[in-house]
Amino acid sequence: MPRLMALRGGPADVPPIPRRHVFDPPPAEGILTGRTRAVGREYRFFASGAELFAQDRSNEDVFTLVEGWVSLHHILEDGRRQILEFLLPGDICGLVSPPGGPAQHAAEALTDVTAVVIPQSQFVSMLATNADYAASVIDRLSGSILAAHESLVDIGRRNALEAVAHLLFRLDRRVREIGGAVPGRTVDFPPTQEQLGDALGLSAAHVCRTLRVLRERGILSLDRHGLCIHDPDALCRMLGQDERGTGAAHAE
Amino acid sequence: MPRLMALRGGPADVPPIPRRHVFDPPPAEGILTGRTRAVGREYRFFASGAELFAQDRSNEDVFTLVEGWVSLHHILEDGRRQILEFLLPGDICGLVSPPGGPAQHAAEALTDVTAVVIPQSQFVSMLATNADYAASVIDRLSGSILAAHESLVDIGRRNALEAVAHLLFRLDRRVREIGGAVPGRTVDFPPTQEQLGDALGLSAAHVCRTLRVLRERGILSLDRHGLCIHDPDALCRMLGQDERGTGAAHAE
DNA sequence: CGACCATTTGATTGCTGTCAATCAGGGTGG
DNA sequence: CCACCCTGATTGACAGCAATCAAATGGTCG
């Protein structure tokens, strides 16, 4: 039986092992174009900027990301936006909403996205008949809770410099977990500064100023080519807590 | 089979039906003192201020609250504290942590607390053998995610007045769901202003200033005797989103 | 080339934190 | 019963971080 509550990061001395078999491992790349079907599963394609599902509208599907980045966000009536979570391949969304009721948040593709789509009703049946699925889903939800809690600390009790540093640290770690990239190597990083700000309760202007500081200190570089963390130790030191070991733990 | 993903609040036109049978309904009040055992379950008592489990230390137990308030919080090295969630009877904690690894947050009793305690290992076995438990746990976790997301919006994109109003609104609703209290009636409200501030990323001083505004507007009263929302509509209007119907939906 | 988006930067405003002092209520011990 | 103390609430003065507004830059795409 799968380990319960596996962490996205895991303890410092244990190499993180992402749990991603909610619905089979992602298929080999390149064979998916547009919308296809395989083994009774529907793969759906979303262009960058498209919505997987909308806020305040009913959503009947559960999505498992295969490729690309997605943002979960909530928008207030006056336009203020809060990004609740960045989703990467293996993550699921569409589950935490009242079935039949309006979704509390929207899911938007930040890049071109491929996802496995399953009706919520079918999802529920699978939970009832397959304990392994249930444990896997509980893993995923626990991961979402931990991510949300980290964001709460970032937004509520860290200043802009610490918050941006921590968010980039977390996202870099997750991307490398999934892609198996080498620490210190540049990773693909689609979010704009405005999206980073929306995730941290900051303005895009201040995210820009904050990134400048991080660059000037030689800690990282971030541009359209990607994110590269040059000095993970210095970055961790400004987080106000222990995060060591997760940055360089899984070298080749 | 239980409904999946039942919301704590539920849609506006559906009376909220709290899902609380993760581990049986709470027993009748008054029969629990100190530590007892019943039907193979351990009920444990915590005095106000005691920790159910500590941050950065291993925790092997899952707690289901029977009576009292608990805060989940994360503390940074320099003492800054972020309350991640207020837990009420029926809520579970101790689940979202790496088994064997250090807990990412602490759980502290805000009042005298009674909880059902179950080892994580036993919890996992129950998930594997009982689909109903799994669905119930998924419900609970979904509720925690929604609560965290609401807090993210409060802290990230609302000002102090809106954030305090929304937090009090949510907590009042939850308390009344559990206790079946009448809308407009004063409910017991243990959190201090400092704890409210720690939940919203605000200082206690500013929470105090904010509460004064809410009181001066005749929207609510809050003191050691409890919380009473006099004007739910006015309160909702300052939230920047649709929350109507949940305030007066379940009259006697 | 022109439009557009994202980034960058500066000047100013303002919300909220910090610090400090005071007040109020409850509990304890004499 | 009262003095004392401790916690939490309250209020004011001041400082600071980040928002807002605005303008300029640069890269991409049609």
Side-chain angles (χ1 to χ4, degrees):
Chain A
M1 209 200 59
R3 228 175 89 224
L4 186 63
M5 294 158 293
L7 280 186
R8 287 192 170 154
D13 54 344
V14 178
I17 303 170
R19 286 283 312 282
R20 204 177 309 121
H21 59 75
V22 178
F23 294 108
D24 302 341
E29 316 85 340
I31 64 171
L32 297 174
T33 55
R35 177 187 296 213
T36 67
R37 282 186 165 278
V39 204
R41 300 255 159 71
E42 181 186 358
Y43 290 85
R44 208 182 295 172
F45 174 83
F46 300 88
S48 176
E51 275 190 335
L52 282 69
F53 58 88
Q55 178 176 328
D56 298 325
R57 302 191 55 168
S58 169
N59 164 48
E60 306 293 342
D61 294 316
V62 175
F63 302 83
T64 304
L65 298 198
V66 176
E67 184 71 39
W69 287 55
V70 165
S71 81
L72 288 191
H73 56 255
H74 182 92
I75 302 184
L76 298 180
E77 287 175 354
D78 60 4
R80 285 176 288 181
R81 175 192 314 252
Q82 176 66 45
I83 290 183
L84 307 167
E85 190 177 2
F86 290 108
L87 302 181
L88 269 57
D91 287 337
I92 60 178
C93 63
L95 180 59
V96 182
S97 292
Q104 299 300 297
H105 53 251
E108 177 187 332
L110 300 184
T111 65
D112 291 347
V113 163
T114 304
V116 178
V117 184
I118 293 182
Q120 284 180 351
S121 55
Q122 182 182 340
F123 197 92
V124 173
S125 334
M126 294 167 70
L127 289 177
T129 57
N130 190 328
D132 213 42
Y133 276 153
S136 181
V137 168
I138 287 175
D139 266 17
R140 288 277 158 205
L141 294 181
S142 296
S144 286
I145 291 174
L146 284 169
H149 286 179
E150 302 230 47
S151 291
L152 280 170
V153 177
D154 285 350
I155 304 176
R157 288 308 186 196
R158 287 196 229 261
N159 61 32
L161 190 62
E162 296 167 332
V164 169
H166 193 220
L167 178 60
L168 294 181
F169 178 82
R170 290 189 285 147
L171 291 175
D172 174 73
R173 182 177 54 192
R174 288 212 63 211
V175 170
R176 287 190 289 98
E177 281 171 16
I178 291 173
V182 182
R185 188 76 56 81
T186 298
V187 300
D188 199 40
F189 197 81
T192 66
Q193 292 181 358
E194 183 178 11
Q195 286 157 353
L196 292 176
D198 283 344
L200 294 172
L202 300 171
S203 66
H206 202 64
V207 170
C208 182
R209 282 185 271 262
T210 302
L211 287 174
R212 181 160 61 114
V213 175
L214 291 172
R215 277 190 280 256
E216 285 171 354
R217 294 189 187 177
I219 292 177
L220 55 79
S221 56
L222 174 61
D223 53 30
R224 75 191 72 258
H225 300 313
L227 167 66
C228 182
I229 296 183
H230 303 302
D231 192 342
D233 293 332
L235 197 157
C236 284
R237 258 179 270 121
M238 63 172 51
L239 263 38
Q241 69 174 4
D242 197 342
E243 287 266 8
R244 275 166 299 290
T246 46
H250 38 130
E252 291 181 307
Chain B
M1 209 199 59
R3 230 176 86 223
L4 184 64
M5 292 158 293
L7 281 184
R8 285 191 173 157
D13 54 343
V14 178
I17 304 170
R19 286 284 313 284
R20 205 174 309 120
H21 60 76
V22 177
F23 292 109
D24 301 340
E29 318 82 340
I31 63 171
L32 296 176
T33 55
R35 177 185 296 213
T36 66
R37 281 188 164 278
V39 205
R41 299 257 158 71
E42 182 185 358
Y43 290 85
R44 208 181 297 171
F45 174 82
F46 299 88
S48 177
E51 275 190 335
L52 281 69
F53 58 89
Q55 178 176 327
D56 299 325
R57 302 190 53 167
S58 170
N59 164 48
E60 307 292 342
D61 293 317
V62 176
F63 301 83
T64 304
L65 297 198
V66 176
E67 184 71 39
W69 287 55
V70 165
S71 81
L72 287 190
H73 57 255
H74 182 93
I75 302 185
L76 298 179
E77 287 175 354
D78 59 6
R80 285 177 288 182
R81 174 193 315 253
Q82 176 66 44
I83 290 184
L84 306 167
E85 191 177 1
F86 290 108
L87 302 181
L88 269 58
D91 288 337
I92 60 177
C93 63
L95 180 60
V96 182
S97 292
Q104 299 301 296
H105 53 252
E108 177 187 334
L110 301 185
T111 66
D112 290 347
V113 163
T114 306
V116 179
V117 185
I118 293 183
Q120 284 180 351
S121 56
Q122 181 181 341
F123 197 93
V124 172
S125 333
M126 295 167 68
L127 289 176
T129 56
N130 190 328
D132 214 42
Y133 277 153
S136 181
V137 168
I138 287 174
D139 267 18
R140 288 276 158 206
L141 296 181
S142 296
S144 285
I145 291 175
L146 284 169
H149 285 179
E150 301 228 50
S151 292
L152 280 170
V153 176
D154 285 350
I155 303 175
R157 288 308 187 197
R158 288 196 228 261
N159 60 35
L161 189 62
E162 297 166 331
V164 169
H166 193 221
L167 179 59
L168 295 181
F169 178 83
R170 289 189 285 148
L171 291 176
D172 173 73
R173 181 177 56 192
R174 289 212 63 210
V175 170
R176 287 191 290 98
E177 282 171 17
I178 291 173
V182 182
R185 189 76 57 80
T186 298
V187 300
D188 199 42
F189 197 82
T192 67
Q193 292 181 359
E194 183 178 12
Q195 286 158 352
L196 291 177
D198 283 344
L200 293 172
L202 299 171
S203 65
H206 203 64
V207 169
C208 182
R209 282 186 275 260
T210 302
L211 287 174
R212 179 158 63 113
V213 175
L214 291 172
R215 275 190 281 255
E216 284 170 354
R217 294 189 186 178
I219 292 178
L220 54 80
S221 57
L222 175 60
D223 53 31
R224 75 190 68 256
H225 299 314
L227 167 67
C228 182
I229 296 183
H230 303 302
D231 193 343
D233 293 332
L235 197 158
C236 283
R237 259 179 268 121
M238 63 172 50
L239 264 37
Q241 69 174 8
D242 196 345
E243 287 266 10
R244 275 166 299 291
T246 47
H250 38 132
E252 294 180 304

